[in-house]
Each structure stands twice: as C-alpha cells, then as structure tokens.
Amino acid sequence: MQHFSPAHTDTDIYIHFQKANVIHLGDTFFNGSYPYIDSGTGGRINGMIAANDKILALADKDTRLVPGHGPLGNKADLTKFRDMLVTTRDRVQKLKAAGKSAQEAVAAKPFADLDPVWGKFLLNGDAFVQVVYLAL
C-alpha cells in the first residue's frame, strides 16, 4: 500500500498485490469515463496524471488494474485514460492561460471530440471542463 501525491483527493493510495499481479488504484482510475477530481479536498489533475504514470511504470501487459469506477482494466486501458487526462489538462490550461473564465472554457466545448468515449458516466464534457479548470 502506497500513498499518491494529491490526485483524486489529497489522501489517495494504491494497493499492489505483487504475487497476484493486481493493482487497485481507487478513484485515481475511472476506466472508460471522465473522473471526478475533488479540488476541494486537494485533488489535482497533475497529481492524477502522476499517479497513473507511477502505476504504468509498475504494470506489465498482464497486470489487472482495479479502478475506482468502471470495469477491470489493463495497462492499455490505463494508458488511454492517462492520455485523456493529459489532453484535457492541456486544453483547459490553454483556455485558462488565455484569461478565460470557467464558464467561458465550458462554452468553448474543448472536449466535444472526447465526449462520445469519455462522457458516458458521472460527468459529461461540460462538467469535466469545470472539474479540470478547478483542479489545475
């Protein structure tokens, strides 16, 4: 059991069952959907990315990854999730750096191309823009 730097919240951990080749990531991995990042309790999108990078370095192609939400995953699933986090962070960061408010960032629809894949569970793209904006 190891602690992550602030990611989903400021108290995230993962559990690595080494002999079984299983890693439980909790809410630092939402398999197939946008995650909730609780900035009110210290969650940060860069921490989410770092947490996923840490697990990707530990996992191999046969590692079973237990997400906080969604089906059991593997390294390929986590790689897709991590890449989505980087893409969404970069898009919102660009809007925020240009002086856009959270509402203006939502109106820009920066995740329109991602929503059909990632916006099917807890959060749609508009809600996730706001989450990312606050978690930067």
Side-chain angles (χ1 to χ4, degrees):
M1 188 177 325
Q2 296 288 319
H3 182 261
F4 287 125
S5 296
H8 166 68
T9 67
D10 63 356
T11 59
D12 296 302
I13 63 168
Y14 69 93
I15 303 169
H16 190 183
F17 301 93
Q18 294 174 340
K19 290 181 183 176
N21 200 15
V22 172
I23 303 173
H24 193 299
L25 289 89
D27 284 344
T28 62
F29 179 32
F30 281 51
N31 193 4
S33 66
Y34 294 129
Y36 181 68
I37 303 168
D38 191 354
S39 59
T41 60
R44 297 287 172 252
I45 191 155
N46 285 332
M48 290 284 285
I49 294 164
N52 284 269
D53 285 342
K54 184 173 194 170
I55 299 304
L56 286 168
L58 293 173
D60 62 37
K61 66 178 182 58
D62 298 318
T63 305
R64 290 172 291 171
L65 301 173
V66 181
H69 298 275
L72 186 65
N74 58 33
K75 190 170 184 171
D77 296 322
L78 188 61
T79 299
K80 290 176 194 172
F81 179 73
R82 185 248 181 230
D83 291 348
M84 177 274 296
L85 291 174
V86 170
T87 299
T88 57
R89 179 207 52 203
D90 292 352
R91 290 178 185 180
V92 173
Q93 196 166 34
K94 184 176 179 181
L95 292 167
K96 195 171 185 178
K100 303 291 184 191
S101 68
Q103 294 74 25
E104 290 170 325
V106 169
K109 300 288 186 200
F111 305 159
D113 61 321
L114 302 173
D115 285 349
V117 173
W118 300 100
K120 299 183 215 172
F121 178 58
L122 184 64
L123 302 171
N124 63 24
D126 290 349
F128 193 54
V129 170
Q130 293 178 3
V131 166
V132 173
Y133 193 95
L134 292 173
L136 283 169

